[in-house]
Structure formats: C-alpha cells, structure tokens
Amino acid sequence: MNLVLWIIYAVISLTATVFLGLREFHMLQLNGYKTPEHSRWMKKNARRYILPAVLFVAQFALLIFSPYHRDGSYDSVMSPLNEKISLVIIILLMIMNLIIGLANKPGKKFKKPLVYTARVKRMLITFFILIALLFICGYFSADIFHDGLAGGTPSLLFKLTHNHHMGNLPYIFVGSALYLTPILVPLSNLINKPVEKAVQNWYINDAKRILSECPTLHKVGITGSYGKTSMKFYLDELLNSQYNTLKTPESFNTPMGVTITIRRDLKPTHEYFICEMGARRVHEIKELCGIADPHDGIITSVGPQHLETFGSIKNVVNTKFELADHVKAKGGKIYLNGDNELIRRKAPEYPNAVLYGLQEGNHYRATDISVSDRGTEFTVTAPDGETKRFSMKLLGEHNVQNVLGAIAYAHGTGISLDKLTLPVKRIAAVPHRLQLLDKGGNMTFIDDAYNSNPSGCRAALGVLGLFDACRILVTPGMVELGAKQEELNFEFGQEAAKACDHIVLVGKTQTVPIYNGIKDAGYDMDNVFVADSLNEALDHVRAYQTDKKKIVLLENDLPDNY
C-alpha cells in the first residue's frame, strides 16, 4: 500500500480519535474522574463500544492478507490478490472510522458540556502523547518489517517523495489508536494520578492556610443524602440577615469545589462559612472535614442515595455522621433532622446534638402547618418554649423541615425567632428544586430536576397534588440506587399513578420499573407516554390537549452520562 493512502487513512482515523476522545473525556468528567465509577459506567454502556471492539479485531485481517512476507519479499502470484483484498479491507475500515468520527463530532448540545479545566488539559496532553506513540509506531513499522526495500531502510525524504510500499502493519497501529481510545482515556487519567494528587494537595494546603488566617471565622458543614443544597441556601438567607456569610456556590460540595471557594471567595470580613459536603463513598465527608474544619454541622437526611458506590445503607449512615464525629471532637453542635429514622437512631451517641423536625421529641419543632399552592405557614417552638408563626413562599410540607433546621441553627447563633420571620419570608426556591416557573398561558412548570431520591420524589408528587389543574409528571426516574433501584422506581410509579393525570417517562429502558409500577396501580395506560428524550417529552406535553391549566412536574433530569 502506498504512503498517500496511509496518510488519508491516518487523517480520518486521527480526526475520529480526537472526536471520540473528547466524548470519552466528557463522560469521565461527569463520572468525577473516578476510574472505578467510570469503569462501571462503561460496563453499563457496553453497546457504545461494540463497534470499536469489532473493528479492533477485524483490522488484524490485514496481517493475513499482507502483500509482503516477513522477510520483505513480494510473491508475484499471491501478493497482487492480497493487495486487492487489503485495499478493500482498508477502505471499509476507513468508512467505519469516518462513521465513528461523525457519530462523536462536537456540536451536540449537552446539559453540562465538557469543561476544559487544567486537569482535563493535562490529561489531554497525556492522551495525545499515547496516540502519537501509536502513530509513530505505525509510520516506522513499515521499516521494521520491510527493511531493505528501495535499497535499504528508506529515508523520510524518500518516503515522502516516492510511492513507497508500506505493508499493512501501519494501518493496524493507526486503527488501534482509534479503537483503543475508550481505554486510553481512563489510562491517561491513571497515568496522571500522581501529578493530580500533588496538584490537589497543593491547593488544599493553600486553602487550609487561608482558613488558618481567619481565626474568627465560624465554619458550619452541611451534609445529607438529600436536602443539603437547599439547607445551604436557606441558612445563608437567614444568617445573612445579621452576619457576613460565604457559602459554597451551586453544588460545589467536593474537596476541590470547597477548596476553590475558599481560595477564590473567602475574605477576612466573612464571619460565617457555610460549607456543603457531598459524598459518594465512605470517608469522603471525613476528607472534607479535614479541609473545612467545621465548628458545627447539620445533617439533613440519611437515605438510599448513591448505594452503587456506598455499597450499603450502613456505609451511608457512617459516612454522613463523620461530620458529627468531627464536630463532637471540636466541642461544637451537630443539628440533626430528628424526623429521619436513621438519624434518630444514631442521635443518642452525640450529647451535642440539637434535633429539629415535625415530630414530638425534637428540640425545635414545627406544628400547625398550612400548605397551599401559594406557600406554606407553620409555627416553630424553640427548646425554651418560645413560639413564633412563620410564613414562606416555598411549596410543600417537606420544605418546612429544611427551613426549620436553618431556623434552629440561626437561632442558636443568637438571632431571635422574631428577627427570623422576615428572612424566612424572603427565602426563594433553590433553582431546579421544586422551583415554580410560570411561563404564562396554559402551562406552569415545577422544576425539580435536581432531585433524584425516593423522599424527594414523594415530596414533589405531594406538591403537584396541591394544584387544581391537569397534573403532568415528566421523569426519567431515579438512578444510583444500587440493588434497590428497580424496587424504588416501581414504588415511584405506583405513587405517581395516584397523583398524576398524565405521565411522561423519558427513556424506554431505564423507566421500565416505573412503567410497571404505574400499570400495577391500575392506572389508565392511555395516559402514559414514553419518550426517547427530554425534548420529545416536552414537545408531547405542549401538544397534549386538556381543558384545564397544565401543571408540569419535571422530576429529575439525568446527566449526560445517562
């Protein structure tokens, strides 16, 4: 085969490699750069790797039909036939490589696109070094197997100016760069691991230094299987009425997210630092406590969240209470949702615990709750017996728990219940967490896209039931629930059947348990629509005909790696 054909093949393959590589890096980023988690994701999405795997094996047929022998000799009888067969195989591989490239070309809109962080850039450098090595091996493999052609090893100038016969091995090296990209991407991550660890440690130590230079700063950690982001926003609203506060933004609840917030945003004038702490594995809260060193803590909930990575509900409980252990050692207070059964069982181990909730026995208790589609009212009783009536714009009884926890902590800092009434009225819905979006006309959305746990889904259905309207649910269901995922989605379907007039499921495969739950509840299945994508689901909702106003609950929105 001549050099020109190999160059064309190499250009097409390299372009496809870049496109596929960027897509794989995107998925790796969404999986938190965690190799085990990314490996599980690859196993779940094995179908996307079937074509590269088949082509990787198929390309070795080029060795069978090589026009040259190992000694570089050319058989005048068989070589012309083998050369024609090789040409057909190469053209077919070229077409398939082009298809892979087009299937992964940039331009597709993602909810959360690939962010070219410094870490991603370093991994891209490593990745392209690996690709370059394969291309170099491919280029010079012609010399390895065909030494002596053109009167000895050909020079680079000779190769570029003559129709040099290269054999088939160069095509296999180039093709392998593309077909092995799904392996080379996580391999780049593993190769860079020592460097990344060193970089992270430098930033973390710098964040610790900054915190050490703020001796009067009071730090509060917030964790929980769900409700922690909402609690963070609510507490910030209340504390900000009297103190200068800083909170971790959005869902910045990882070690690097917390580190970035401290290094970028913390000022000497801040009096309170509200730190959200997320975890998907055992001891990750302990790691975050080692960075933020909170004086106090709040645990909003413990439940079956991220069971795939935690392994058991016991591991979830122990990890969340790593915050309580840290605070206990520092002599601070841990505020606990006393209505959560798993938390209540663990609470007696912490004499520094302050319980809040709707049930009897909590130090801070909310009673006389009045819920409507315009907001919620409730009465708070403090440990000293003082009571105060509060009203807020937030929808649903479940929101009372988190706001009550924020009231309890703020009251513990010295702000009176009376002074907290106005800040509570000002509390707005956290974006994508039961956020009411009135688009005008005949349709209103309840955006609960960032909720993906059984408790949150039940609460969202309860809020939907407040409205006298055509109640429509749009959902892809819940994920990362381990062995209980099918069971919990089945129950979600049963509950949705009781609360909704029309149900739209997003994703034909993953929503099967929800569909079965709806059917088991005796629901009219003519009112169930299964869409392939969120856009198709929303188009269906817009076209759906009803005499009433449509209230559309968007329950959970899976990230792009789903």
Side-chain angles (χ1 to χ4, degrees):
M1 298 296 139
N2 62 58
L3 184 62
V4 174
L5 180 62
W6 182 80
I7 290 174
I8 295 171
Y9 185 85
V11 169
I12 291 173
S13 300
L14 179 60
T15 303
T17 300
V18 172
F19 291 171
L20 179 59
L22 291 176
R23 183 67 58 86
E24 290 299 308
F25 274 112
H26 186 195
M27 296 304 107
L28 180 66
Q29 188 177 71
L30 291 174
N31 288 320
Y33 306 110
K34 305 289 186 182
T35 302
E37 191 166 324
H38 186 66
S39 297
R40 282 192 292 270
W41 179 85
M42 290 177 70
K43 189 175 179 181
K44 282 184 179 179
N45 295 271
R47 284 186 300 177
R48 66 184 276 128
Y49 302 114
I50 291 174
L51 181 58
V54 169
L55 294 177
F56 176 74
V57 175
Q59 68 176 344
F60 286 96
L62 290 171
L63 291 180
I64 300 172
F65 296 104
S66 175
Y68 299 97
H69 298 300
R70 284 184 176 273
D71 61 1
S73 62
Y74 186 86
D75 188 329
S76 59
V77 177
M78 291 303 298
S79 292
L81 176 61
N82 285 350
E83 197 162 37
K84 289 177 182 177
I85 295 173
S86 293
L87 181 60
V88 171
I89 294 172
I90 290 166
I91 291 172
L92 288 175
L93 288 172
M94 204 183 303
I95 292 170
M96 299 310 295
N97 294 354
L98 185 62
I99 289 171
I100 292 174
L102 292 173
N104 292 280
K105 69 176 181 178
K108 180 181 177 182
K109 289 187 178 179
F110 291 100
K111 300 160 195 166
K112 188 177 180 182
L114 174 64
V115 181
Y116 290 90
T117 61
R119 179 172 186 169
V120 168
K121 291 174 183 176
R122 287 190 292 267
M123 282 195 296
L124 282 170
I125 291 171
T126 303
F127 172 71
F128 284 120
I129 289 173
L130 295 174
I131 297 301
L133 288 174
L134 285 169
F135 270 67
I136 291 168
C137 288
Y139 184 78
F140 288 104
S141 63
D143 293 342
I144 296 170
F145 280 85
H146 306 295
D147 193 11
L149 285 177
T153 303
S155 67
L156 179 61
L157 179 62
F158 182 90
K159 288 183 176 183
L160 293 174
T161 56
H162 290 73
N163 186 24
H164 175 57
H165 291 283
M166 300 182 68
N168 289 339
L169 197 58
Y171 295 95
I172 293 175
F173 274 104
V174 171
S176 295
L178 171 59
Y179 309 140
L180 295 177
T181 288
I183 296 172
L184 296 178
V185 167
L187 179 61
S188 302
N189 188 35
L190 286 173
I191 292 171
N192 282 23
K193 195 171 183 180
V195 174
E196 297 306 327
K197 189 65 178 175
V199 170
Q200 286 184 12
N201 286 341
W202 189 90
Y203 284 122
I204 287 170
N205 289 332
D206 191 53
K208 289 179 179 179
R209 176 191 60 79
I210 292 170
L211 286 176
S212 70
E213 294 172 357
C214 302
T216 60
L217 179 70
H218 203 90
K219 295 157 287 187
V220 52
I222 300 175
T223 191
S225 297
Y226 38 87
K228 54 186 175 292
T229 303
S230 297
M231 173 67 78
K232 174 182 65 179
F233 277 89
Y234 303 160
L235 183 60
D236 180 64
E237 183 71 50
L238 301 194
L239 290 180
N240 232 337
S241 65
Q242 188 158 320
Y243 306 107
N244 187 2
T245 64
L246 170 68
K247 68 178 183 299
T248 50
E250 300 171 353
S251 292
F252 276 43
N253 57 21
T254 64
M256 290 314 295
V258 173
T259 299
I260 288 169
T261 304
I262 294 168
R263 296 184 69 249
R264 184 187 65 190
D265 301 328
L266 186 63
K267 303 290 188 297
T269 52
H270 284 127
E271 297 170 276
Y272 275 84
F273 175 43
I274 305 169
C275 180
E276 181 182 347
M277 298 180 167
R280 301 167 77 95
R281 293 170 187 78
V282 175
H283 298 320
E284 287 189 342
I285 296 299
K286 186 177 181 179
E287 182 184 0
L288 285 162
C289 287
I291 299 170
D293 191 25
H295 300 95
D296 300 317
I298 304 173
I299 301 179
T300 61
S301 59
V302 175
Q305 186 80 326
H306 303 308
L307 285 179
E308 274 189 9
T309 46
F310 274 115
S312 69
I313 194 69
K314 182 180 179 181
N315 287 339
V316 178
V317 174
N318 291 338
T319 300
K320 299 304 178 185
F321 271 84
E322 287 171 354
L323 173 59
D325 294 334
H326 181 91
V327 168
K328 181 181 178 181
K330 288 186 69 70
K333 291 182 179 179
I334 185 71
Y335 290 76
L336 303 173
N337 177 359
D339 291 348
N340 184 284
E341 184 181 348
L342 293 169
I343 291 178
R344 203 175 185 95
R345 281 187 212 159
K346 192 88 171 169
E349 299 177 24
Y350 301 89
N352 60 333
V354 177
L355 273 63
Y356 63 89
L358 280 53
Q359 301 173 8
E360 290 186 11
N362 289 301
H363 298 99
Y364 285 86
R365 189 180 176 204
T367 55
D368 302 323
I369 300 170
S370 174
V371 180
S372 73
D373 60 359
R374 294 181 300 278
T376 308
E377 293 185 3
F378 56 98
T379 298
V380 172
T381 303
D384 60 2
E386 181 186 0
T387 62
K388 190 69 184 178
R389 189 73 175 167
F390 288 86
S391 65
M392 61 183 184
K393 294 176 284 187
L394 300 177
L395 303 173
E397 183 177 292
H398 73 287
N399 268 319
V400 174
Q401 274 185 339
N402 278 337
V403 172
L404 177 62
I407 290 171
Y409 186 86
H411 187 249
T413 68
I415 307 176
S416 68
L417 292 182
D418 190 55
K419 287 185 177 179
L420 288 171
T421 55
L422 188 58
V424 169
K425 279 184 181 179
R426 287 200 300 260
I427 291 175
V430 179
H432 311 299
R433 290 170 172 85
L434 285 178
Q435 183 183 19
L436 198 63
L437 304 173
D438 195 339
K439 299 296 184 180
N442 193 41
M443 187 158 54
T444 296
F445 287 95
I446 303 173
D447 182 359
D448 202 35
Y450 284 8
N451 248 329
S452 60
N453 60 82
S455 178
C457 288
R458 280 193 296 272
L461 291 174
V463 170
L464 185 63
L466 296 173
F467 292 85
D468 181 19
C470 178
R471 294 162 297 188
I472 301 173
L473 169 67
V474 177
T475 184
M478 299 174 285
V479 296
E480 295 186 350
L481 297 174
K484 296 180 73 68
Q485 183 163 306
E486 186 171 341
E487 174 191 341
L488 292 170
N489 275 302
F490 181 86
E491 292 174 0
F492 178 37
Q494 290 179 313
E495 293 168 4
K498 300 172 189 174
C500 306
D501 300 306
H502 193 69
I503 300 172
V504 183
L505 304 178
V506 183
K508 287 184 170 63
T509 303
Q510 69 205 29
T511 57
V512 168
I514 307 175
Y515 186 91
N516 291 337
I518 297 168
K519 191 174 182 180
D520 182 74
Y523 192 76
D524 181 1
M525 301 308 289
D526 289 339
N527 280 317
V528 178
F529 179 78
V530 183
D532 285 322
S533 66
L534 180 60
N535 286 336
E536 183 186 353
L538 294 177
D539 287 341
H540 172 81
V541 168
R542 293 186 190 98
Y544 182 71
Q545 297 296 317
T546 176
D547 295 332
K548 293 183 176 180
K549 181 173 182 176
K550 290 182 277 191
I551 301 294
V552 185
L553 171 62
L554 303 176
E555 185 60 26
N556 198 13
D557 184 14
L558 299 183
D560 297 302
N561 49 330
Y562 285 93

